[in-house]
Amino acid sequence: MRPPRGGIPSTFRGRLRVVGAVRLSRYTDASTSPEIQEEMIEGAGARVGGEFVGWARDVDVSALDTTPWEREELVYWLDRPDEWDVMVWQRMDRAVRSMADMADLGRYAKKHGKRLIFASGPGGDMLELDFASPMSELIMLILAFAAQMEGQTIKERNQGAAAHLESLGRWAGGPVPYGLVPGRRVFADGNEGWWLFLHTDDDPTLSTADIRRGMVARAIGGKNYTEIETWLTNMGAITPKNHRARLAKPPREADPESKWRITVVREMLLSPIMRGHLVKRDGTVVRDEKGAPILQAEPLVDDDTWYKLQDALKLLESGASGPRRKDGHPLLGVLQCGICGRNMTKGQYRERLQRAPGGPRGELKVNFKCEGDEHEEGVSGQSIQAEETLEFVEREFLERLGPFHHTQIVRTPGVDHRPEIAELEGDIAELSGRLATLRGAAADAVAGQLQGRSDRLEELREKPFTPAREEVVELDTTWADDWHAAGEWGPTRLEMLKSAGVVVKCYPPPRWRAPAEERLKFLIGTHVDPVQDALDDVAFQEGS
């Protein structure tokens, strides 16, 4: 349990009140883990005869990118100078990596009469800065300069290493994208490296790959960002922050204050990370010298699903505005000519009226028509009134699909490890032969390579092939709910018809003024009634 930040008990009266400060750029760095830092800090606090009143634990925080006043837990104590006397870090680079930041921290300590202690200073002994002496201020700035130069060197080295790994398709580290989990694998060049795999869990609130695909399905189904955020919150889906905390080694405690935000939902749906692409912080895709996207992860969705998602998001953000086809209509792509199979387009006709000379000519109305230029010789094009066609389609759609829950198909590409398994088996045979002829450091190096490939081979043999799959995600509302929520005929209803696999065929009238029911045929994809499906299954079992 974390000690309380404030509320100093009376037992500290007359004694030095110590705050321990921990900082770590990455929580997986075992050499400077929080536990090691805390142990050294507690030792330094005991040497000065103080007792700890609290801790500032800032993990996944870079000293090069943040000042002490930009770290959530440290600034809590810096804003409350009356509640402590001494602040202890493990080393100076845990506090700052900038001369400017060290100067600001020194001025703060001098102004408030605070003691800053580093458990491990030059030579390994404890270092305390006394700001009453100008010499101490000079020493402070010299050490801060050294920390700054070291930090800049580390940053440049890490950036260079990351760029090299990215060019090879390796995951170079950093925040783990939602829906993925890092793991080791052997690449085509024979070297082992990090890769991002799909993250699933038996608990649906923790299975981030399935959660992210559920977001995709709802977006394609016409849900806006607010509705998707509400769904995530109501189901208790783990947040991206707590997902990263759970994957840390050792795992961090979940932040109960972490919540879903609309901006996070939007960024996740727009990110090409879902296709397995390597993406920069500004959202652009990293490409190789030939212009092809570099992969660093298993894709969460296939290309077809990705393009459908982007179309849905564009429609959402544009409010269904923009240029439309002049012959476009609410059933474009759904209503087809039953003779030639081509899409019927929008036309106009003037209602026929029996009238006296000079009387009204009739109201101008809309119809759907087929030009008929691909029909057999002698078969002309046909048309049908738009109003009665729309009424027919709506009636049939609500009657056949209305009671069922709205579903959306999300496609995940398959993974075939069989070529890699064959390659690993060849590598292992070759390395085993080489190992028998080597000694010393060379033998150790080959043995390491052999072990890495053997581990990878064992992992892949457990699941050599995963076929592509289509996941039918059941949404929270019925088709009828979403149909009525759309309000009127437009892109939303048209997309619902297409996603349900609806096709409406129009045929020539069998008689004069035949109603739409006699000319139209309503066809849909496969939608199984769960109750009837269960009854059919029982009947089949009894008959077999």
Side-chain angles (χ1 to χ4, degrees), residues 61-72:
V61 175
S62 168
L64 280 171
D65 299 330
T66 64
T67 70
W69 281 266
E70 293 173 330
R71 300 169 205 162
E72 182 180 359

Side-chain angles (χ1 to χ4, degrees), residues 163-208:
H164 175 66
L165 291 174
E166 289 170 355
S167 68
L168 299 174
R170 273 70 159 170
W171 181 61
V176 179
Y178 197 84
L180 301 168
V181 60
R184 303 287 289 180
R185 61 163 288 188
V186 177
F187 291 83
D189 60 4
N191 294 316
E192 188 177 347
W194 288 99
W195 180 256
L196 293 172
F197 299 89
L198 299 184
H199 175 251
T200 58
D201 194 283
D202 293 337
D203 185 344
T205 66
L206 301 177
S207 188
T208 57

